[in-house]
mmCIF file of all heavy atoms in Angstrom:
data_model
loop_
_atom_site.group_PDB
_atom_site.id
_atom_site.type_symbol
_atom_site.label_atom_id
_atom_site.label_comp_id
_atom_site.label_asym_id
_atom_site.label_seq_id
_atom_site.Cartn_x
_atom_site.Cartn_y
_atom_site.Cartn_z
ATOM 1 N N ASP A 2 22.365 9.919 2.647
ATOM 2 C CA ASP A 2 21.235 8.983 2.409
ATOM 3 C C ASP A 2 21.392 7.677 3.229
ATOM 4 O O ASP A 2 20.412 7.178 3.755
ATOM 5 C CB ASP A 2 21.149 8.622 0.922
ATOM 6 C CG ASP A 2 20.549 9.791 0.143
ATOM 7 O OD1 ASP A 2 19.953 10.706 0.737
ATOM 8 O OD2 ASP A 2 20.682 9.735 -1.130
ATOM 9 N N SER A 3 22.601 7.200 3.351
ATOM 10 C CA SER A 3 22.812 5.969 4.072
ATOM 11 C C SER A 3 22.508 6.163 5.581
ATOM 12 O O SER A 3 21.992 5.261 6.246
ATOM 13 C CB SER A 3 24.224 5.448 3.896
ATOM 14 O OG SER A 3 25.194 6.353 4.385
ATOM 15 N N THR A 4 22.812 7.377 6.068
ATOM 16 C CA THR A 4 22.503 7.672 7.489
ATOM 17 C C THR A 4 21.026 7.758 7.672
ATOM 18 O O THR A 4 20.481 7.298 8.680
ATOM 19 C CB THR A 4 23.186 9.039 7.876
ATOM 20 O OG1 THR A 4 24.596 8.903 7.709
ATOM 21 C CG2 THR A 4 22.923 9.330 9.321
ATOM 22 N N LYS A 5 20.314 8.340 6.700
ATOM 23 C CA LYS A 5 18.846 8.406 6.797
ATOM 24 C C LYS A 5 18.260 7.012 6.800
ATOM 25 O O LYS A 5 17.315 6.712 7.603
ATOM 26 C CB LYS A 5 18.244 9.203 5.617
ATOM 27 C CG LYS A 5 18.498 10.655 5.643
ATOM 28 C CD LYS A 5 17.819 11.315 4.458
ATOM 29 C CE LYS A 5 18.097 12.833 4.397
ATOM 30 N NZ LYS A 5 17.428 13.412 3.188
ATOM 31 N N GLU A 6 18.759 6.121 6.026
ATOM 32 C CA GLU A 6 18.296 4.723 5.974
ATOM 33 C C GLU A 6 18.457 4.063 7.334
ATOM 34 O O GLU A 6 17.567 3.350 7.785
ATOM 35 C CB GLU A 6 19.025 3.928 4.877
ATOM 36 C CG GLU A 6 18.656 4.342 3.463
ATOM 37 C CD GLU A 6 19.502 3.584 2.392
ATOM 38 O OE1 GLU A 6 20.184 2.628 2.771
ATOM 39 O OE2 GLU A 6 19.390 3.987 1.228
ATOM 40 N N THR A 7 19.625 4.219 7.919
ATOM 41 C CA THR A 7 19.843 3.691 9.284
ATOM 42 C C THR A 7 18.910 4.284 10.238
ATOM 43 O O THR A 7 18.302 3.557 11.136
ATOM 44 C CB THR A 7 21.345 3.950 9.691
ATOM 45 O OG1 THR A 7 22.225 3.378 8.727
ATOM 46 C CG2 THR A 7 21.566 3.350 11.056
ATOM 47 N N PHE A 8 18.749 5.567 10.216
ATOM 48 C CA PHE A 8 17.821 6.281 11.136
ATOM 49 C C PHE A 8 16.399 5.740 11.014
ATOM 50 O O PHE A 8 15.754 5.380 12.006
ATOM 51 C CB PHE A 8 17.864 7.782 10.878
ATOM 52 C CG PHE A 8 16.945 8.581 11.750
ATOM 53 C CD1 PHE A 8 17.329 8.772 13.098
ATOM 54 C CD2 PHE A 8 15.767 9.150 11.281
ATOM 55 C CE1 PHE A 8 16.471 9.530 13.929
ATOM 56 C CE2 PHE A 8 14.963 9.890 12.082
ATOM 57 C CZ PHE A 8 15.329 10.093 13.405
ATOM 58 N N PHE A 9 15.890 5.620 9.785
ATOM 59 C CA PHE A 9 14.508 5.184 9.576
ATOM 60 C C PHE A 9 14.365 3.677 9.865
ATOM 61 O O PHE A 9 13.238 3.223 10.195
ATOM 62 C CB PHE A 9 14.044 5.455 8.162
ATOM 63 C CG PHE A 9 13.762 6.942 7.918
ATOM 64 C CD1 PHE A 9 14.356 7.614 6.891
ATOM 65 C CD2 PHE A 9 12.881 7.666 8.777
ATOM 66 C CE1 PHE A 9 14.097 8.969 6.685
ATOM 67 C CE2 PHE A 9 12.583 8.987 8.538
ATOM 68 C CZ PHE A 9 13.161 9.656 7.501
ATOM 69 N N ALA A 10 15.441 2.922 9.736
ATOM 70 C CA ALA A 10 15.330 1.515 10.045
ATOM 71 C C ALA A 10 14.980 1.176 11.508
ATOM 72 O O ALA A 10 14.384 0.168 11.768
ATOM 73 C CB ALA A 10 16.679 0.838 9.724
ATOM 74 N N ASN A 11 15.216 2.143 12.363
ATOM 75 C CA ASN A 11 14.896 2.003 13.802
ATOM 76 C C ASN A 11 13.444 2.421 14.077
ATOM 77 O O ASN A 11 13.015 2.376 15.212
ATOM 78 C CB ASN A 11 15.795 2.876 14.683
ATOM 79 C CG ASN A 11 17.165 2.233 14.778
ATOM 80 O OD1 ASN A 11 17.252 1.020 14.837
ATOM 81 N ND2 ASN A 11 18.177 3.057 14.863
ATOM 82 N N ALA A 12 12.687 2.893 13.022
ATOM 83 C CA ALA A 12 11.324 3.353 13.245
ATOM 84 C C ALA A 12 11.284 4.410 14.388
ATOM 85 O O ALA A 12 10.695 4.181 15.440
ATOM 86 C CB ALA A 12 10.344 2.239 13.501
ATOM 87 N N PRO A 13 11.965 5.562 14.186
ATOM 88 C CA PRO A 13 12.048 6.475 15.236
ATOM 89 C C PRO A 13 10.754 7.198 15.633
ATOM 90 O O PRO A 13 9.830 7.241 14.861
ATOM 91 C CB PRO A 13 13.053 7.523 14.709
ATOM 92 C CG PRO A 13 12.831 7.494 13.243
ATOM 93 C CD PRO A 13 12.598 6.018 12.922
ATOM 94 N N TYR A 14 10.733 7.681 16.888
ATOM 95 C CA TYR A 14 9.612 8.369 17.442
ATOM 96 C C TYR A 14 9.996 9.876 17.695
ATOM 97 O O TYR A 14 11.090 10.087 18.201
ATOM 98 C CB TYR A 14 9.122 7.723 18.706
ATOM 99 C CG TYR A 14 8.433 6.444 18.452
ATOM 100 C CD1 TYR A 14 9.181 5.239 18.342
ATOM 101 C CD2 TYR A 14 7.085 6.347 18.406
ATOM 102 C CE1 TYR A 14 8.512 4.058 18.100
ATOM 103 C CE2 TYR A 14 6.348 5.120 18.225
ATOM 104 C CZ TYR A 14 7.163 3.978 18.030
ATOM 105 O OH TYR A 14 6.503 2.759 17.836
ATOM 106 N N ILE A 15 9.096 10.758 17.308
ATOM 107 C CA ILE A 15 9.342 12.212 17.504
ATOM 108 C C ILE A 15 8.119 12.829 18.152
ATOM 109 O O ILE A 15 6.972 12.627 17.705
ATOM 110 C CB ILE A 15 9.637 12.893 16.149
ATOM 111 C CG1 ILE A 15 10.791 12.285 15.458
ATOM 112 C CG2 ILE A 15 9.841 14.418 16.370
ATOM 113 C CD1 ILE A 15 11.012 12.687 14.016
ATOM 114 N N THR A 16 8.324 13.560 19.235
ATOM 115 C CA THR A 16 7.261 14.320 19.820
ATOM 116 C C THR A 16 7.513 15.823 19.725
ATOM 117 O O THR A 16 8.649 16.213 19.784
ATOM 118 C CB THR A 16 7.049 13.995 21.309
ATOM 119 O OG1 THR A 16 8.199 14.506 22.055
ATOM 120 C CG2 THR A 16 6.904 12.524 21.548
ATOM 121 N N GLY A 17 6.489 16.567 19.573
ATOM 122 C CA GLY A 17 6.531 18.001 19.513
ATOM 123 C C GLY A 17 5.645 18.575 20.640
ATOM 124 O O GLY A 17 5.127 17.874 21.477
ATOM 125 N N CYS A 18 5.307 19.868 20.502
ATOM 126 C CA CYS A 18 4.466 20.475 21.497
ATOM 127 C C CYS A 18 3.960 21.855 21.013
ATOM 128 O O CYS A 18 4.788 22.609 20.391
ATOM 129 C CB CYS A 18 5.268 20.654 22.799
ATOM 130 S SG CYS A 18 4.466 21.848 23.938
ATOM 131 N N GLY A 19 2.729 22.147 21.189
ATOM 132 C CA GLY A 19 2.222 23.469 20.923
ATOM 133 C C GLY A 19 0.961 23.584 20.165
ATOM 134 O O GLY A 19 0.079 24.379 20.444
ATOM 135 N N GLY A 20 0.820 22.836 19.054
ATOM 136 C CA GLY A 20 -0.390 22.907 18.219
ATOM 137 C C GLY A 20 -0.149 23.561 16.879
ATOM 138 O O GLY A 20 -1.117 24.064 16.259
ATOM 139 N N LEU A 21 1.081 23.579 16.399
ATOM 140 C CA LEU A 21 1.385 24.233 15.121
ATOM 141 C C LEU A 21 0.705 23.454 13.981
ATOM 142 O O LEU A 21 0.776 22.237 13.928
ATOM 143 C CB LEU A 21 2.897 24.229 14.905
ATOM 144 C CG LEU A 21 3.451 24.904 13.651
ATOM 145 C CD1 LEU A 21 3.278 26.399 13.785
ATOM 146 C CD2 LEU A 21 4.932 24.557 13.538
ATOM 147 N N GLU A 22 0.042 24.197 13.067
ATOM 148 C CA GLU A 22 -0.670 23.631 11.987
ATOM 149 C C GLU A 22 0.285 22.723 11.116
ATOM 150 O O GLU A 22 -0.110 21.617 10.639
ATOM 151 C CB GLU A 22 -1.302 24.684 11.130
ATOM 152 C CG GLU A 22 -1.847 24.139 9.772
ATOM 153 C CD GLU A 22 -2.918 23.040 9.913
ATOM 154 O OE1 GLU A 22 -3.541 22.926 11.000
ATOM 155 O OE2 GLU A 22 -3.086 22.279 8.925
ATOM 156 N N ASP A 23 1.521 23.145 10.916
ATOM 157 C CA ASP A 23 2.440 22.320 10.109
ATOM 158 C C ASP A 23 2.618 20.920 10.661
ATOM 159 O O ASP A 23 2.645 19.965 9.899
ATOM 160 C CB ASP A 23 3.823 23.007 10.070
ATOM 161 C CG ASP A 23 3.856 24.236 9.192
ATOM 162 O OD1 ASP A 23 2.827 24.521 8.586
ATOM 163 O OD2 ASP A 23 4.862 24.931 9.184
ATOM 164 N N ILE A 24 2.736 20.807 11.971
ATOM 165 C CA ILE A 24 2.918 19.430 12.556
ATOM 166 C C ILE A 24 1.598 18.680 12.637
ATOM 167 O O ILE A 24 1.542 17.493 12.447
ATOM 168 C CB ILE A 24 3.581 19.521 13.984
ATOM 169 C CG1 ILE A 24 4.276 18.189 14.261
ATOM 170 C CG2 ILE A 24 2.605 19.870 15.059
ATOM 171 C CD1 ILE A 24 5.559 17.982 13.550
ATOM 172 N N TYR A 25 0.482 19.425 12.841
ATOM 173 C CA TYR A 25 -0.822 18.744 12.827
ATOM 174 C C TYR A 25 -1.146 18.201 11.384
ATOM 175 O O TYR A 25 -1.707 17.124 11.307
ATOM 176 C CB TYR A 25 -1.931 19.736 13.191
ATOM 177 C CG TYR A 25 -2.110 19.892 14.719
ATOM 178 C CD1 TYR A 25 -1.046 19.588 15.613
ATOM 179 C CD2 TYR A 25 -3.292 20.259 15.258
ATOM 180 C CE1 TYR A 25 -1.175 19.714 16.932
ATOM 181 C CE2 TYR A 25 -3.460 20.452 16.645
ATOM 182 C CZ TYR A 25 -2.422 20.106 17.461
ATOM 183 O OH TYR A 25 -2.566 20.300 18.844
ATOM 184 N N ALA A 26 -0.656 18.896 10.358
ATOM 185 C CA ALA A 26 -0.834 18.390 9.011
ATOM 186 C C ALA A 26 -0.091 17.072 8.796
ATOM 187 O O ALA A 26 -0.498 16.133 8.113
ATOM 188 C CB ALA A 26 -0.404 19.467 7.946
ATOM 189 N N VAL A 27 1.121 16.987 9.416
ATOM 190 C CA VAL A 27 1.921 15.751 9.352
ATOM 191 C C VAL A 27 1.139 14.626 10.091
ATOM 192 O O VAL A 27 1.016 13.531 9.575
ATOM 193 C CB VAL A 27 3.292 15.965 10.005
ATOM 194 C CG1 VAL A 27 4.021 14.663 10.069
ATOM 195 C CG2 VAL A 27 4.085 17.014 9.219
ATOM 196 N N ILE A 28 0.651 14.952 11.270
ATOM 197 C CA ILE A 28 -0.072 13.952 12.089
ATOM 198 C C ILE A 28 -1.316 13.477 11.343
ATOM 199 O O ILE A 28 -1.709 12.321 11.418
ATOM 200 C CB ILE A 28 -0.420 14.540 13.447
ATOM 201 C CG1 ILE A 28 0.904 14.814 14.246
ATOM 202 C CG2 ILE A 28 -1.336 13.594 14.228
ATOM 203 C CD1 ILE A 28 0.645 15.579 15.524
ATOM 204 N N ARG A 29 -1.960 14.422 10.623
ATOM 205 C CA ARG A 29 -3.197 14.041 9.832
ATOM 206 C C ARG A 29 -2.865 13.268 8.605
ATOM 207 O O ARG A 29 -3.730 12.767 7.906
ATOM 208 C CB ARG A 29 -3.933 15.304 9.425
ATOM 209 C CG ARG A 29 -4.637 16.063 10.593
ATOM 210 C CD ARG A 29 -5.656 17.012 10.065
ATOM 211 N NE ARG A 29 -5.044 18.027 9.207
ATOM 212 C CZ ARG A 29 -4.644 19.279 9.591
ATOM 213 N NH1 ARG A 29 -4.806 19.632 10.878
ATOM 214 N NH2 ARG A 29 -4.084 20.155 8.759
ATOM 215 N N GLY A 30 -1.515 13.159 8.213
ATOM 216 C CA GLY A 30 -1.149 12.434 7.044
ATOM 217 C C GLY A 30 -1.239 13.221 5.801
ATOM 218 O O GLY A 30 -1.333 12.670 4.676
ATOM 219 N N GLU A 31 -1.174 14.567 5.874
ATOM 220 C CA GLU A 31 -1.238 15.437 4.725
ATOM 221 C C GLU A 31 0.074 15.972 4.196
ATOM 222 O O GLU A 31 0.142 16.485 3.083
ATOM 223 C CB GLU A 31 -2.155 16.634 5.133
ATOM 224 C CG GLU A 31 -3.614 16.191 5.477
ATOM 225 C CD GLU A 31 -4.383 17.335 6.054
ATOM 226 O OE1 GLU A 31 -3.847 18.448 6.196
ATOM 227 O OE2 GLU A 31 -5.570 17.090 6.432
ATOM 228 N N SER A 32 1.107 15.868 4.964
ATOM 229 C CA SER A 32 2.464 16.310 4.515
ATOM 230 C C SER A 32 3.537 15.464 5.150
ATOM 231 O O SER A 32 3.274 14.765 6.137
ATOM 232 C CB SER A 32 2.613 17.807 4.886
ATOM 233 O OG SER A 32 2.674 17.999 6.303
ATOM 234 N N TYR A 33 4.723 15.545 4.534
ATOM 235 C CA TYR A 33 5.841 14.724 4.980
ATOM 236 C C TYR A 33 5.435 13.226 5.124
ATOM 237 O O TYR A 33 5.865 12.533 6.026
ATOM 238 C CB TYR A 33 6.439 15.243 6.319
ATOM 239 C CG TYR A 33 7.129 16.554 6.200
ATOM 240 C CD1 TYR A 33 6.417 17.766 6.252
ATOM 241 C CD2 TYR A 33 8.509 16.651 5.941
ATOM 242 C CE1 TYR A 33 7.058 18.978 6.149
ATOM 243 C CE2 TYR A 33 9.171 17.854 5.846
ATOM 244 C CZ TYR A 33 8.422 19.074 5.902
ATOM 245 O OH TYR A 33 9.056 20.274 5.797
ATOM 246 N N THR A 34 4.579 12.837 4.231
ATOM 247 C CA THR A 34 3.963 11.458 4.355
ATOM 248 C C THR A 34 5.057 10.381 4.272
ATOM 249 O O THR A 34 4.988 9.372 5.001
ATOM 250 C CB THR A 34 2.896 11.239 3.320
ATOM 251 O OG1 THR A 34 3.450 11.536 2.045
ATOM 252 C CG2 THR A 34 1.698 12.159 3.613
ATOM 253 N N GLU A 35 5.992 10.522 3.359
ATOM 254 C CA GLU A 35 6.998 9.493 3.223
ATOM 255 C C GLU A 35 7.859 9.381 4.438
ATOM 256 O O GLU A 35 8.235 8.239 4.866
ATOM 257 C CB GLU A 35 7.904 9.816 1.979
ATOM 258 C CG GLU A 35 8.925 8.719 1.674
ATOM 259 C CD GLU A 35 9.681 8.962 0.405
ATOM 260 O OE1 GLU A 35 9.315 9.862 -0.378
ATOM 261 O OE2 GLU A 35 10.714 8.281 0.201
ATOM 262 N N ILE A 36 8.202 10.515 5.034
ATOM 263 C CA ILE A 36 9.002 10.474 6.312
ATOM 264 C C ILE A 36 8.170 9.867 7.466
ATOM 265 O O ILE A 36 8.597 9.024 8.192
ATOM 266 C CB ILE A 36 9.461 11.881 6.632
ATOM 267 C CG1 ILE A 36 10.561 12.321 5.678
ATOM 268 C CG2 ILE A 36 9.971 11.914 8.065
ATOM 269 C CD1 ILE A 36 10.947 13.765 5.767
ATOM 270 N N ALA A 37 6.870 10.379 7.579
ATOM 271 C CA ALA A 37 6.045 9.945 8.679
ATOM 272 C C ALA A 37 5.791 8.434 8.624
ATOM 273 O O ALA A 37 5.756 7.747 9.651
ATOM 274 C CB ALA A 37 4.735 10.676 8.646
ATOM 275 N N GLU A 38 5.695 7.897 7.410
ATOM 276 C CA GLU A 38 5.428 6.471 7.284
ATOM 277 C C GLU A 38 6.626 5.596 7.713
ATOM 278 O O GLU A 38 6.441 4.453 8.069
ATOM 279 C CB GLU A 38 5.106 6.128 5.754
ATOM 280 C CG GLU A 38 3.704 6.609 5.333
ATOM 281 C CD GLU A 38 3.489 6.534 3.878
ATOM 282 O OE1 GLU A 38 4.451 6.136 3.155
ATOM 283 O OE2 GLU A 38 2.391 6.827 3.395
ATOM 284 N N GLN A 39 7.758 6.185 7.693
ATOM 285 C CA GLN A 39 8.962 5.399 8.137
ATOM 286 C C GLN A 39 9.262 5.596 9.595
ATOM 287 O O GLN A 39 10.154 4.928 10.146
ATOM 288 C CB GLN A 39 10.193 5.872 7.276
ATOM 289 C CG GLN A 39 10.060 5.578 5.842
ATOM 290 C CD GLN A 39 11.311 6.095 5.078
ATOM 291 O OE1 GLN A 39 12.358 5.411 5.056
ATOM 292 N NE2 GLN A 39 11.150 7.257 4.446
ATOM 293 N N CYS A 40 8.564 6.495 10.265
ATOM 294 C CA CYS A 40 8.729 6.719 11.724
ATOM 295 C C CYS A 40 7.779 5.801 12.471
ATOM 296 O O CYS A 40 6.726 5.420 12.010
ATOM 297 C CB CYS A 40 8.397 8.161 12.064
ATOM 298 S SG CYS A 40 9.630 9.335 11.498
ATOM 299 N N GLY A 41 8.189 5.493 13.698
ATOM 300 C CA GLY A 41 7.298 4.730 14.593
ATOM 301 C C GLY A 41 6.076 5.519 14.932
ATOM 302 O O GLY A 41 4.957 5.027 15.077
ATOM 303 N N GLY A 42 6.293 6.846 15.137
ATOM 304 C CA GLY A 42 5.190 7.732 15.437
ATOM 305 C C GLY A 42 5.655 9.184 15.562
ATOM 306 O O GLY A 42 6.792 9.402 15.909
ATOM 307 N N ILE A 43 4.760 10.048 15.190
ATOM 308 C CA ILE A 43 4.995 11.547 15.317
ATOM 309 C C ILE A 43 3.767 12.074 15.992
ATOM 310 O O ILE A 43 2.656 11.989 15.509
ATOM 311 C CB ILE A 43 5.195 12.208 14.004
ATOM 312 C CG1 ILE A 43 6.459 11.653 13.293
ATOM 313 C CG2 ILE A 43 5.372 13.706 14.212
ATOM 314 C CD1 ILE A 43 6.646 12.175 11.857
ATOM 315 N N VAL A 44 3.939 12.664 17.191
ATOM 316 C CA VAL A 44 2.789 13.265 17.921
ATOM 317 C C VAL A 44 3.168 14.663 18.458
ATOM 318 O O VAL A 44 4.338 15.041 18.382
ATOM 319 C CB VAL A 44 2.404 12.392 19.133
ATOM 320 C CG1 VAL A 44 2.056 10.984 18.678
ATOM 321 C CG2 VAL A 44 3.474 12.343 20.186
#
């Protein structure tokens, strides 16, 4: 948990590729919302 806190404190950015519905749902704000809110961006 402390490592996660450090990781999220940097507002990390994550990019993917392809068009998978699971990641599009994250980008739309429908899933993994708590994680996505702590990231600088997920695209």
Side-chain angles (χ1 to χ4, degrees):
D2 286 344
S3 62
T4 302
K5 288 182 185 179
E6 290 177 9
T7 302
F8 180 73
F9 286 126
N11 285 325
Y14 288 82
I15 302 170
T16 68
C18 163
L21 184 68
E22 170 57 23
D23 287 356
I24 203 75
Y25 277 24
V27 175
I28 295 171
R29 291 194 300 264
E31 298 169 359
S32 65
Y33 290 87
T34 53
E35 185 176 347
I36 289 172
E38 286 170 358
Q39 297 179 80
C40 290
I43 299 173
V44 302

